Amino acid sequence: DLTGLRTTIRSHSFAHMTSIGLLNLSHSDLMAIESFAFQDSEYFGQIDLSSSLLSIIHPHAFDQLFNVSLLNLQGNLIRTLDK
């Protein structure tokens, strides 16, 4: 439970995790997702980051993230996404 903790998903945070069906960080107090946060992760089914106060997603944050069936960013403070 990350409720009330202002944090960032750092580069390589999920490295070498072979299979995560659902990553639910909804309603947490995330500030940002750094570049390559999901690099070296083999499989994520769904990622729910909804209503997390997220305002910054660095370029390449989701690089090398394959086979995601749902990425929920609804209800955050994101204004733009760079390629």
Side-chain angles (χ1 to χ4, degrees), residues 37-50:
F38 296 92
Q39 188 168 1
D40 298 324
S41 303
E42 292 185 25
Y43 174 82
F44 279 88
Q46 299 179 3
I47 300 173
D48 188 352
L49 300 170
S50 61

Side-chain angles (χ1 to χ4, degrees), residues 9-83:
I9 298 176
R10 302 209 182 275
S11 296
H12 306 280
S13 289
F14 300 97
H16 309 295
M17 291 189 181
T18 56
S19 181
I20 296 177
L22 171 63
L23 175 64
N24 186 353
L25 296 175
S26 63
H27 301 282
S28 56
D29 292 329
L30 291 174
M31 293 184 295
I33 300 174
E34 291 184 354
S35 295
F36 308 109
F38 296 92
Q39 188 168 1
D40 298 324
S41 303
E42 292 185 25
Y43 174 82
F44 279 88
Q46 299 179 3
I47 300 173
D48 188 352
L49 300 170
S50 61
S51 302
S52 297
L53 303 176
L54 186 59
S55 59
I56 300 168
I57 298 177
H58 290 270
H60 310 290
F62 299 106
D63 279 12
Q64 295 187 6
L65 185 59
F66 305 105
N67 300 318
V68 174
S69 61
L70 173 74
L71 174 60
N72 187 351
L73 297 172
Q74 182 178 0
N76 282 291
L77 304 173
I78 302 164
R79 295 187 187 259
T80 62
L81 287 174
D82 294 329
K83 287 185 176 184

